[in-house]
Amino acid sequence: QVQLVESGGGLVQPGGSLRLSCAASGSIFSINDMGWYRQAPGKQRDLVATVSSGGSTNYADSVKGRFTISRDNAKNTVYLQMNSLKPEDTAVYYCNARIPHARIVGVEYDYWGQGTQVTVSS
């Protein structure tokens, strides 16, 4: 029973910034990778950025240099700072967390948030 709740989405003008937050709650001992994915209408859900428990990051080429993913392990929260937003960034953004099984080493569960809308438009 793990829930991910995203917040911070909204409407911004091109060139603007938003910070998304995603807090995981429930029976959590630790979280492995956390990440953000996005899905535009009629499109596949694509990776935006991930961050490992140790802080290693991975970004889609389309957001490199503009977005920054970070996490606060004590709060079980992952953030996505989005700068220099473009209309093509418009999508529903989904938080993802991979949570290890409590007893079985090497097994993890994939959890998703409900999504938060980001609209970049003038």
Side-chain angles (χ1 to χ4, degrees):
Q1 291 186 318
V2 175
Q3 298 82 41
L4 304 181
V5 179
E6 300 107 331
S7 62
L11 174 64
V12 294
Q13 296 183 24
S17 297
L18 282 175
R19 191 177 82 146
L20 306 183
S21 299
C22 173
S25 62
S27 183
I28 300 170
F29 288 96
S30 63
I31 303 175
N32 292 335
D33 288 1
M34 302 186 80
W36 291 93
Y37 295 71
R38 67 187 182 187
Q39 186 169 23
K43 303 289 183 63
Q44 297 283 349
R45 185 176 298 187
D46 293 327
L47 180 147
V48 177
T50 61
V51 57
S52 73
S53 60
S56 297
T57 58
N58 177 47
Y59 297 93
D61 288 342
S62 59
V63 307
K64 285 181 179 177
R66 300 189 297 120
F67 291 9
T68 302
I69 189 169
S70 61
R71 63 191 286 171
D72 184 336
N73 290 331
K75 296 181 180 294
N76 290 331
T77 299
V78 62
Y79 306 94
L80 185 68
Q81 178 66 47
M82 304 186 293
N83 299 325
S84 302
L85 283 161
K86 303 175 180 179
E88 50 262 47
D89 295 318
T90 296
V92 177
Y93 284 69
Y94 295 91
C95 176
N96 171 259
R98 295 183 174 181
I99 297 176
H101 194 283
R103 300 178 302 280
I104 306 174
V105 175
V107 174
E108 61 184 12
Y109 297 101
D110 217 24
Y111 292 91
W112 294 91
Q114 82 287 351
T116 184
Q117 178 71 48
V118 172
T119 302
V120 184
S121 177
S122 60

